[in-house]
Amino acid sequence: MRLDLLEALHADRAARRPAILVTELAGGAQRLVRPADIAADPLAPALRAALRTGKSTLAGEGESRAFLTVQVPPPRLVVIGAVHISQALAPMAKLTDFDLTIVDPRTAFATPERFPDVRLIARWPEEVMDALALDPFTALVALTHDPKIDEPALEAGLQAGCFYVGALGSRRTHAKRLERLAARGLTAEQTNRIHAPIGLDIGAVSPAEIAVAILGEVIAELRKDKAGQTGGAA
């Protein structure tokens, strides 16, 4: 690999930016393609699919056949609220390779005993969102029902372009939430991105079932392509 491409890949990895190294099989020529460049690339459909799945693969035909080395930041899941649903969600997030962080200022709930082996931050979201460096490969889930805790985090997730932003609560609760977020200066275009009621509609009742519904919806959004279609189970 050319040194300049290797250095660029390392820089993208450090900054949690996705990139694809295209190596042409016919002559060995290489190019680095980032999301903003995909539309102009002759392998655009294959590049989009590779970026969505995060899997390296062969693509193209004949002289254009190439190997795509895909570098996608590992997905993160930031959960606001050390509640019962979070306790069920934590082991499932780990099994599906999400880097999980739980934020809750209520120290009666945010304890290592309730969340072993989880990155737990017992502080107000407003105090820690900047340090968490939310990005488009982060999902943010707000579960406390407390506007003082949930809404600053939701605002941060929307401003950062998180690929998924969801909040617990009924449609009536969410309508009032939207009014408060609008008062904080968020546009309807931004707040329309909030998934609420949160989770897939599977008739979930228990905390564990609700956690399944939430994680399923998060994964669906992670794997969704620009046409709005999911790739289905591999």
Side-chain angles (χ1 to χ4, degrees), residues 184-204:
R184 293 174 69 98
L186 272 74
T187 67
E189 182 179 3
Q190 289 174 308
T191 56
N192 285 342
R193 293 189 56 237
I194 300 174
H195 293 261
I198 196 170
L200 298 175
D201 185 7
I202 59 172

Side-chain angles (χ1 to χ4, degrees), residues 67-227:
F67 187 78
L68 311 182
T69 304
V70 182
Q71 177 177 282
V72 176
R76 296 188 300 180
L77 177 58
V78 175
V79 176
I80 309 302
V83 297
H84 288 156
I85 297 171
S86 311
Q87 287 181 290
L89 187 57
M92 289 189 274
K94 184 177 182 180
L95 285 172
T96 46
D97 293 329
F98 280 88
D99 180 2
L100 175 66
T101 300
I102 296 177
V103 178
D104 196 325
R106 302 170 298 183
T107 53
F109 299 118
T111 67
E113 291 75 19
R114 298 182 74 229
F115 294 93
D117 302 321
V118 172
R119 184 187 183 197
L120 193 60
I121 302 176
R123 297 177 62 185
W124 291 90
E126 286 173 310
E127 299 173 338
V128 301
M129 285 295 117
D130 287 346
L132 288 176
L134 305 178
D135 62 23
F137 289 87
T138 303
L140 185 135
V141 173
L143 302 178
T144 73
H145 280 301
D146 186 336
K148 299 190 303 299
I149 302 174
D150 285 347
E151 290 172 13
L154 291 171
E155 180 178 358
L158 293 171
Q159 298 286 12
C162 290
F163 75 86
Y164 178 92
V165 178
L168 200 64
S170 65
R171 296 187 188 282
R172 182 177 179 182
T173 297
H174 187 56
K176 293 180 180 178
R177 176 187 294 132
L178 293 179
E179 292 176 1
R180 291 189 296 269
L181 290 174
R184 293 174 69 98
L186 272 74
T187 67
E189 182 179 3
Q190 289 174 308
T191 56
N192 285 342
R193 293 189 56 237
I194 300 174
H195 293 261
I198 196 170
L200 298 175
D201 185 7
I202 59 172
V205 176
S206 69
E209 291 175 351
I210 295 170
V212 169
I214 292 171
L215 191 58
E217 191 171 54
V218 168
I219 292 172
E221 285 297 314
L222 176 66
R223 300 306 181 197
K224 183 181 288 184
D225 65 20
K226 291 184 178 179

Side-chain angles (χ1 to χ4, degrees), residues 5-22:
L5 293 180
L6 180 62
E7 290 176 343
L9 269 177
H10 283 173
D12 285 337
R13 183 190 297 273
R16 284 181 56 85
R17 293 191 297 259
I20 301 176
L21 178 68
V22 180

